[in-house]
Amino acid sequence: MKRGSPILGMSTPPCGITTYGSDSEDESQVPLNQFYPYIRCGLCCGFLIDATTITECLHTFCKSCIVKHFFNSNRCPSCTIIVHETQPLYNIRPDRQLQDIVYKMIPFLEEFEREQMCNFYKKRGLAIPKSVAFSTPAPLASKRQKKDPVPQCVINIPPELDMSLLLDFVGAEEGINSYKPLERPYVRVSGDATIRHVELFIRKKMELGPTCQVDVVCGDQLLDHYQSLKDVPNFVGAEAVQDGFLVLHFGLVLSCLA
């Protein structure tokens, strides 16, 4: 699916960004096109969708665009720096703050992209992930929740499940097309579990065949099967854990046995 937004084919949105002078309360409008270099993908020229930044040079592109690019090249499309000698997908990270900015500057973009994704799944007879089908709750619902709080269900989490994982799918190598989306990237597991257990979990949920290999990366380190999850933060460093989650990036590559 083409993830870059095709709406640039339309006329320029009749809106601007309001700014305020430091010595005056007068408002001024800055044309939206002045921000294009910062909110458009250099590969598809559409507004950024799933903004993803290369850690080596901090250039940002649509996630699907940069993943496809790296299947044919290991250099940044903007500055041509070598991102990684063999696996450039290991050196990209989602930029959620920039994506939020893009959605706020282009109000109709997020809903447009959601419709495109729903159509993509429908045409292929696939189940639409809940994260795509449902939008963020409206402010009215939030107010109602505060006014009439609903008793929360108390769930006792076993003490041995002491690790919270965020499994970030970075893409599949060209030639790998048969797999299901990982609908629930957040997992609670034991710190004694190994990377091999994580790979088996991914293989089961995504219904991967024997010709497909799962590579798991944390930070800039490719993790080995035998490593336990509780040892990964010490092996990788502080960047391994974000907002209380151990962030594991994984990609699908063709097995050497294929």
Side-chain angles (χ1 to χ4, degrees):
M1 179 175 59
K2 178 65 175 175
R3 296 301 306 279
S5 170
I7 59 178
L8 289 179
M10 305 179 183
S11 60
T12 303
C15 60
I17 304 300
T18 302
T19 61
Y20 298 87
S22 58
D23 298 324
S24 171
E25 294 184 356
D26 295 337
E27 297 181 5
S28 61
Q29 293 288 329
V30 178
L32 181 63
N33 58 15
Q34 290 191 15
F35 295 91
Y36 279 0
Y38 311 103
I39 62 176
R40 294 202 317 188
C41 172
L43 288 170
C44 69
C45 296
F47 294 118
L48 289 168
I49 299 296
D50 288 340
T52 301
T53 298
I54 299 174
T55 58
E56 297 297 304
C57 58
L58 302 183
H59 288 122
T60 305
F61 307 89
C62 297
K63 180 177 180 178
S64 63
C65 292
I66 194 60
V67 168
K68 291 178 183 177
H69 171 83
F70 281 151
F71 286 147
N72 300 309
S73 172
N74 65 347
R75 294 181 177 271
C76 170
S78 295
C79 65
T80 70
I81 187 176
I82 295 178
V83 178
H84 191 281
E85 290 291 345
T86 57
Q87 296 290 347
L89 290 176
Y90 295 161
N91 287 356
I92 60 176
R93 300 290 182 270
D95 193 334
R96 296 183 178 87
Q97 290 183 335
L98 177 56
Q99 189 60 62
D100 287 342
I101 292 174
V102 174
Y103 282 152
K104 289 178 180 178
M105 296 180 70
I106 315 296
F108 52 85
L109 179 61
E110 184 173 12
E111 183 60 31
F112 177 85
E113 176 63 15
R114 183 177 293 108
E115 291 178 2
Q116 291 284 87
M117 293 179 67
C118 289
N119 292 335
F120 173 84
Y121 287 105
K122 288 179 180 178
K123 288 181 180 179
R124 289 158 178 79
L126 300 174
I128 301 176
K130 293 181 180 180
S131 59
V132 174
F134 299 101
S135 59
T136 304
L140 181 59
S142 299
K143 291 180 179 179
R144 185 181 299 119
Q145 186 177 12
K146 292 179 179 179
K147 184 177 180 180
D148 301 318
V150 178
Q152 297 183 351
C153 178
V154 177
I155 300 177
N156 294 322
I157 300 176
E160 60 270 19
L161 300 183
D162 54 354
M163 294 289 294
S164 297
L165 305 183
L166 169 56
L167 303 178
D168 180 36
F169 179 44
V170 298
E173 187 176 4
E174 187 173 1
I176 300 177
N177 301 309
S178 179
Y179 59 86
K180 290 182 61 177
L182 184 63
E183 297 183 4
R184 297 182 179 181
Y186 298 97
V187 185
R188 185 88 174 183
V189 298
S190 167
D192 292 326
T194 64
I195 297 301
R196 179 60 176 167
H197 291 118
V198 175
E199 294 178 7
L200 292 174
F201 172 81
I202 293 173
R203 298 188 70 87
K204 180 178 180 180
K205 293 299 182 181
M206 299 185 72
E207 299 183 359
L208 302 178
T211 60
C212 186
Q213 176 180 319
V214 180
D215 283 352
V216 181
V217 177
C218 187
D220 296 328
Q221 302 293 330
L222 177 63
L223 303 178
D224 292 321
H225 292 174
Y226 66 85
Q227 288 180 285
S228 65
L229 296 177
K230 65 183 179 182
D231 293 334
V232 171
N234 294 331
F235 175 69
V236 175
E239 63 178 341
V241 179
Q242 300 178 18
D243 298 327
F245 290 91
L246 177 62
V247 182
L248 302 179
H249 308 276
F250 71 95
L252 309 182
V253 298
L254 290 173
S255 171
C256 58
L257 301 178

